[in-house]
Amino acid sequence: MIEGGEALALVMVLLFPVLLTGLPIAFALLFVSVVWFVLTGSDPTIAPSNMFWFLNKTELLSIPFFILAADILGRSRATDDLVAAADLLFGRLRGGLALVTMLSTIVFSAISGSSVATALAIGRVMIPKLIDAGYQRRFSVGLVAAGGGLGIMIPPSVPLIIYATVAEVSVASVFLAAIGPGLLIGFVFCVYVTIMGDRLRDPKISVPHAGDVKRGTNATTLLRALPVVALPVLILGGIYSGLFTPGQAAAVSVGYSATLASTLYRTPRIPSLWTMTADAGRLSAAILIIMAATSVFGYIITQERIPNQFAELMGALGVTAVVFILMVNGLLLFLGCFLEIISVILITLPIFKPMLADLGIDPIHFAIIMVLNMELAVITPPIGMNLFVISSISRTPIAQVFRGTLPFVAILIAMLLLVSYSQSIALFSLRLLG
Amino acid sequence: MRKLRAFVSSAGRVAAVIETAFLAVSLGGAAVLAIFLILFRNVVNVSYNAMEEIAVYLVLWMVFVGMAAAERTRSNIAIDILSHALPPRAAAVLQRIADSLTAILAAVLTWASYDAVMFSRMINERAVSTLEIKIWPLMAIMPVAFGLVTLRAGARAAFPQARERALESVH
């Protein structure tokens, strides 16, 4: 039996090579946790008990529900109708098709709660159109990968729900606070693609319009997109009016999406809803099991008093809020390159949490900082999930997708600094609407 | 040997069907219960909080069944950059190491979760909620799921080629 601190150090060193073997992240975290239990002579039955009680929470219901709702809408004709409406309104502007793509990702972000779902749904429709219209492949794939990242910033967002659950703050407040910075980033992205879109396009190719859905009049095109655009209004409106909790709002979005898909869009057909629900269940399980495993790892970190020791160290070094946020940004950017974003939030947040009160940092402001870092993580290699998704659906090498996202990475870093050091910008929507 | 292989293959297919059905029913059922809860509360002005509690338990079971199902299809989230960078033979060795580690870990967790279930049963632990349901039957999914993961990862580690064939037949 060895002392806890030494065992934890050993476990930390062991975690990285174990992850690199390709062991699922949840199992890697559980593996090193079990090693810690054995080394310190602790009772390993704590691990499954901890997982059970972590998962036995109402707040977590929203995660599988939002994933299912996004899957239903993503596989329906909703995306095509959304693109057609955006094209009708903005397609004739400068950088039209690129702007339409970015606007579609912003709206879909407010439906899906996931960056991968957003990148997948919009990328599937728009990347071939952008390339056919003469836009550089690198620009096209980078645009969708980066735009898809907004899926975790604009509520409803699964990482925001996870943050609120762990930090013990109101999901509704975090959602409200994230609307402002999310839309601000979306706006800056739109300005960039409008300016750069035409410069990075082959002028010899004429620009087709985005929507290849059969159109009736302009009014019907807009009307068809209306039910999709109404979904975020319904979800957020329901939460803030007190009609339902975030978890119940997610269930409503499932019911709404399924109703739309089976009546208005008639895609996917009812039988495939069965497969889709099972797929969403499998994906949700993959995310929730990581969260449960991280709760075991979190137990060890708490047992070793790491958050307190970290807080004491920061206090002894005289670290101010400004320096702390800078350090956190650096650490999260680094970890985001190597770990899956949910794991990053779950592992680091319990360590940072005691420091927030000590340094007078608003936990809701910190949520925005943390999730913006994670938005960067989904488009930076080697673990950037959006890079993999876009590379796979567009058959483009990952390196080229990453080069395409670089201007957006630069914009996001600038926005991260702005949001980190200006609480009034980070929380303007919360103060305005809250 | 051929009969055994056929039996394992059919058992795998049956398990796959049951898992898929359970995932769809539990997630769909949880969503329906949550929607009914809102409808009852806002239309009839009656709050059936037990519905939300059941939805939580359904999702909880879904997570463990989903974990076992994802192990079958290798769709649990993992970092596979190293295996993509390595030549095929080295990647196969790495995969075998990962499968062996998974099997060992899952075996330990099968025992630990079984122990946790037995302890909960012994102390007659109940949920502090509307239903005041006994906890141990809810926890019982854990040793089953970890047991399935042990079998699947163990079989893959021991017979990697046979497992690949089985995977292909399931897909």
Side-chain angles (χ1 to χ4, degrees):
Chain A
M1 209 186 309
I2 62 173
E3 209 188 311
E6 288 168 22
L8 183 66
L10 194 72
V11 156
M12 289 292 209
V13 172
L14 192 65
L15 179 61
F16 202 61
V18 168
L19 279 171
L20 282 180
T21 61
L23 197 70
I25 295 170
F27 294 162
L29 288 165
L30 285 170
F31 185 83
V32 295
S33 303
V34 166
V35 169
W36 183 89
F37 283 115
V38 172
L39 290 177
T40 57
S42 306
D43 180 9
T45 58
I46 293 170
S49 299
N50 223 305
M51 291 173 78
F52 177 83
W53 289 111
F54 177 84
L55 292 169
N56 195 357
K57 284 190 185 119
T58 318
E59 297 90 322
L60 297 179
L61 280 179
S62 50
I63 295 173
F65 292 166
F66 277 131
I67 288 173
L68 177 58
D71 206 14
I72 294 171
L73 280 182
R75 292 197 216 183
S76 75
R77 262 201 3 253
T79 320
D80 302 77
D81 285 356
L82 195 64
V83 167
D87 182 42
L88 181 72
L89 293 171
F90 304 100
R92 290 177 203 286
L93 297 179
R94 192 177 163 208
L97 205 57
L99 180 63
V100 166
T101 308
M102 191 51 83
L103 287 168
S104 303
T105 62
I106 293 170
V107 177
F108 202 82
S109 295
I111 298 166
S112 77
S114 147
S115 63
V116 171
T118 307
L120 204 62
I122 302 296
R124 182 181 54 83
V125 179
M126 291 309 292
I127 292 174
K129 292 184 197 306
L130 285 163
I131 293 170
D132 288 348
Y135 286 90
Q136 271 185 5
R137 175 175 282 270
R138 199 170 73 186
F139 173 77
S140 308
V141 291
L143 185 164
V144 179
L150 287 168
I152 59 170
M153 194 69 200
I154 296 177
S157 144
V158 171
L160 285 174
I161 297 167
I162 293 168
Y163 177 95
T165 310
V166 179
E168 294 169 30
V169 291
S170 147
V171 176
S173 299
V174 173
F175 274 7
L176 207 51
I179 293 174
L183 292 181
L184 184 64
I185 296 166
F187 173 75
V188 177
F189 277 0
C190 284
V191 172
Y192 172 77
V193 299
T194 306
I195 295 168
M196 294 305 290
D198 275 351
R199 290 188 196 172
L200 297 173
R201 203 179 71 79
D202 184 349
K204 289 176 206 146
I205 301 173
S206 67
V207 186
H209 283 286
D212 63 355
V213 286
K214 284 175 195 160
R215 284 204 210 152
T217 61
N218 290 350
T220 53
T221 306
L222 291 177
L223 272 176
R224 289 191 76 89
L226 200 62
V228 192
V229 181
L231 181 57
V233 179
L234 178 75
I235 294 170
L236 298 175
I239 294 172
Y240 300 122
S241 65
L243 202 61
F244 30 73
T245 64
Q248 291 164 351
V252 169
S253 73
V254 171
Y256 185 83
S257 309
T259 310
L260 277 189
S262 54
T263 55
L264 186 65
Y265 300 124
R266 299 190 185 279
T267 52
R269 299 273 175 198
I270 297 286
S272 57
L273 275 176
W274 172 264
T275 326
M276 210 177 284
T277 312
D279 286 348
R282 206 171 281 126
L283 177 63
S284 310
I287 292 172
L288 288 167
I289 203 72
I290 293 177
M291 293 177 69
T294 315
S295 77
V296 179
F297 196 66
Y299 167 84
I300 294 171
I301 286 174
T302 314
Q303 285 296 302
E304 296 288 357
R305 297 186 63 252
I306 298 297
N308 304 52
Q309 288 178 19
F310 181 70
E312 283 164 18
L313 177 71
M314 293 290 120
L317 292 172
V319 170
T320 60
V322 173
V323 178
F324 176 74
I325 288 175
L326 194 66
M327 284 169 60
V328 165
N329 281 332
L331 182 70
L332 291 178
L333 285 176
F334 174 75
L335 289 177
C337 291
F338 299 100
L339 284 173
E340 197 273 331
I341 61 168
I342 288 163
S343 313
V344 176
I345 296 174
L346 289 165
I347 292 171
T348 58
L349 188 56
I351 300 174
F352 296 148
K353 210 169 94 179
M355 286 295 295
L356 302 182
D358 289 354
L359 294 170
I361 300 167
D362 186 333
I364 294 177
H365 179 197
F366 196 70
I368 307 301
I369 297 172
M370 204 157 194
V371 175
L372 190 39
N373 270 293
M374 296 304 101
E375 196 181 331
L376 270 162
V378 297
I379 52 168
T380 44
I383 314 287
M385 289 299 283
N386 279 19
L387 301 181
F388 292 122
V389 168
I390 295 299
S391 162
S392 140
I393 60 169
S394 67
R395 297 175 194 277
T396 310
I398 285 203
Q400 198 178 351
V401 182
F402 177 57
R403 276 200 295 276
T405 62
L406 278 175
F408 299 95
V409 169
I411 292 172
L412 281 176
I413 290 175
M415 294 305 290
L416 176 62
L417 289 172
L418 187 70
V419 164
S420 295
Y421 293 109
S422 171
Q423 203 186 51
S424 51
I425 290 177
L427 300 181
F428 81 89
S429 52
L430 180 67
R431 285 174 186 161
L432 196 71
L433 305 165
Chain B
M1 192 65 186
R2 193 182 291 170
K3 275 186 179 172
L4 180 69
R5 197 181 291 165
F7 172 75
V8 170
S9 180
S10 337
R13 266 194 288 271
V14 170
V17 170
I18 294 172
E19 281 164 353
T20 306
F22 185 84
L23 290 171
V25 168
S26 56
L27 182 53
V32 167
L33 283 173
I35 292 167
F36 274 137
L37 176 70
I38 302 164
L39 286 177
F40 278 128
R41 202 179 59 194
N42 294 294
V43 180
V44 196
N45 209 16
V46 178
S47 246
Y48 288 113
N49 290 331
M51 282 184 177
E52 195 160 51
E53 196 180 330
I54 296 169
V56 172
Y57 298 146
L58 281 172
V59 168
L60 198 152
W61 271 53
M62 181 200 80
V63 173
F64 288 102
V65 173
M67 172 192 74
E71 181 56 29
R72 174 173 52 79
T73 53
R74 280 189 180 151
S75 50
N76 270 314
I77 301 169
I79 296 169
D80 52 3
I81 37 169
L82 192 59
S83 60
H84 282 300
L86 289 173
R89 192 169 281 186
V93 172
L94 197 67
Q95 183 61 56
R96 209 161 181 180
I97 294 171
D99 288 336
S100 307
L101 289 179
T102 304
I104 294 166
L105 169 79
V108 172
L109 289 174
T110 306
W111 161 76
S113 52
Y114 174 77
D115 221 34
V117 172
M118 287 297 125
F119 181 73
S120 175
R121 190 180 173 193
M122 192 182 76
I123 62 168
N124 199 22
E125 193 176 15
R126 282 175 185 274
V128 187
S129 57
T130 318
L131 292 175
E132 290 185 356
I133 202 167
K134 281 186 180 174
I135 293 295
W136 76 264
L138 297 173
M139 286 179 107
I141 189 67
M142 291 195 295
V144 176
F146 283 122
L148 266 174
V149 173
T150 309
L151 287 176
R152 282 172 176 162
R156 207 161 50 209
F159 313 104
Q161 285 164 344
R163 186 66 193 143
E164 287 306 323
R165 278 199 299 272
L167 258 177
E168 279 162 20
S169 75
V170 168
H171 287 297

